Amino acid sequence: MPLTADSKLIRERDQQCWKSVRHAVQVIEEALQRYGPQGIALSFNGGKDCTVILHLYVAVLYKILGSELDRLPNSTTSTDTPHQQHSTSHRQHYPVHSIYVTHKNPFGQVERFVDDEIERYNLDLLRIPGPMKKALGEYHELKSDIVAIMVGTRRDDPHGGPLKPFTPTDPSWPPFMRIHPILDWTYHDIWTFLRSVNVPYCGLYDLGYTSLGGRDDTFPNPQLRRLSIEETFLFGPAWKLAGGESERCGRAK
């Protein structure tokens, strides 16, 4: 039976996504070779992009360090489910350094999701108020062993165009190497990966939000408006957005 146009599009997106995954894994492996897990922190704010990076980073850590883990006491038993084995292993043995640059008026759903991820992935996470430059300076003073920050910037984000997978901060900023594993991912790559692997993500994305900031500047994406009930609009989930170029249409700035 010949494929429909929609089926072909889905297959092409799947193929592109897994090419993107392989490249991201290569960047993360190189980062670990350069700096080791003790020298790397993740910039994690509960958004979809950094959620992808967190999952991939922990998976690569497990691949590299898993043999060591299996020799340690209190490792998982054969009766644990795969998800329990994955989360419990990292919770017991491998804290993941991370920084959350907070907004003045954050969403409660985002804060709860970040707390869930701290538990799920054993994040050694510091919440530091923005702006970004000031927060990174404070983090550098508190965590002097950290020399590289892994971030979820993509090529089509503001200021993402000229970046490379490894790009140092500007001279006037705190001295970190910025690592961009998903720099060339598309919006659809992000959602294909999250949904294919069943990675938990912030529930706001199921309510029509496609790019998360603070409560003052973030709204459901009007491109996902579906219907109105008594002057209350309902919105489709973020993964149904047809064009990634409209991703930031729910942001006031």
Side-chain angles (χ1 to χ4, degrees):
M1 182 177 178
L3 293 174
T4 65
D6 286 346
S7 297
K8 289 180 180 178
L9 178 60
I10 291 172
R11 186 174 68 176
E12 289 172 0
R13 285 180 174 174
D14 285 347
Q15 292 172 343
Q16 174 59 41
C17 174
W18 298 114
K19 289 180 181 177
S20 298
V21 169
R22 287 193 292 272
H23 181 261
V25 167
Q26 291 171 355
V27 172
I28 294 170
E29 288 175 339
E30 181 177 346
L32 286 167
Q33 289 172 357
R34 289 191 188 190
Y35 311 112
Q38 71 282 357
I40 298 173
L42 273 62
S43 177
F44 185 77
N45 63 3
K48 61 187 182 303
D49 301 320
C50 58
T51 297
V52 167
I53 290 179
L54 173 58
H55 188 83
L56 289 174
Y57 181 65
V58 170
V60 173
L61 275 179
Y62 187 81
K63 182 177 76 170
I64 294 174
L65 303 174
S67 59
E68 174 188 342
L69 174 65
D70 292 338
R71 294 193 296 270
L72 293 173
N74 300 321
S75 59
T76 55
T77 67
S78 59
T79 59
D80 289 336
T81 67
H83 178 75
Q84 287 171 330
Q85 291 173 358
H86 178 268
S87 60
T88 302
S89 299
H90 289 283
R91 183 166 60 249
Q92 287 177 347
H93 299 294
Y94 297 124
V96 176
H97 302 300
S98 47
I99 174 176
Y100 174 17
V101 180
T102 60
H103 293 274
K104 292 181 180 179
N105 190 14
F107 285 95
Q109 296 97 318
V110 172
E111 295 299 296
R112 289 190 291 274
F113 176 69
V114 170
D115 288 338
D116 288 343
E117 296 297 89
I118 291 172
E119 174 66 17
R120 182 177 291 116
Y121 291 103
N122 192 21
L123 301 185
D124 173 21
L125 183 141
L126 290 182
R127 283 177 163 93
I128 303 178
M132 179 67 73
K133 185 175 182 179
K134 171 181 172 295
L136 288 178
E138 184 174 341
Y139 191 72
H140 184 258
E141 292 179 0
L142 293 171
K143 296 283 188 176
S144 59
D145 290 341
I146 302 297
V147 296
I149 304 286
M150 198 170 291
V151 297
T153 302
R154 305 199 324 268
R155 187 78 65 191
D156 49 7
D157 287 335
H159 312 295
L163 296 175
K164 298 178 180 179
F166 293 85
T167 304
T169 52
D170 294 337
S172 63
W173 281 61
F176 289 107
M177 178 63 73
R178 291 175 291 171
I179 307 168
H180 307 105
I182 61 169
L183 186 59
D184 291 308
W185 285 42
T186 67
Y187 180 84
H188 293 294
D189 287 339
I190 295 294
W191 284 110
T192 297
F193 178 79
L194 290 173
R195 299 182 71 239
S196 296
V197 188
N198 293 320
V199 177
Y201 56 82
C202 179
L204 287 176
Y205 289 114
D206 287 335
L207 301 178
Y209 294 82
T210 54
S211 178
L212 299 183
R215 294 176 63 89
D216 299 329
D217 62 5
T218 306
F219 313 95
N221 193 315
Q223 300 290 327
L224 291 170
R225 185 181 297 169
R226 292 294 177 260
L227 55 95
S228 174
I229 300 176
E230 297 180 353
E231 299 184 355
T232 299
F233 290 109
L234 299 180
F235 296 82
W239 58 268
K240 285 194 172 183
L241 187 68
E245 67 277 0
S246 303
E247 175 183 358
R248 296 182 65 84
C249 287
R251 298 290 290 273
K253 57 181 179 178

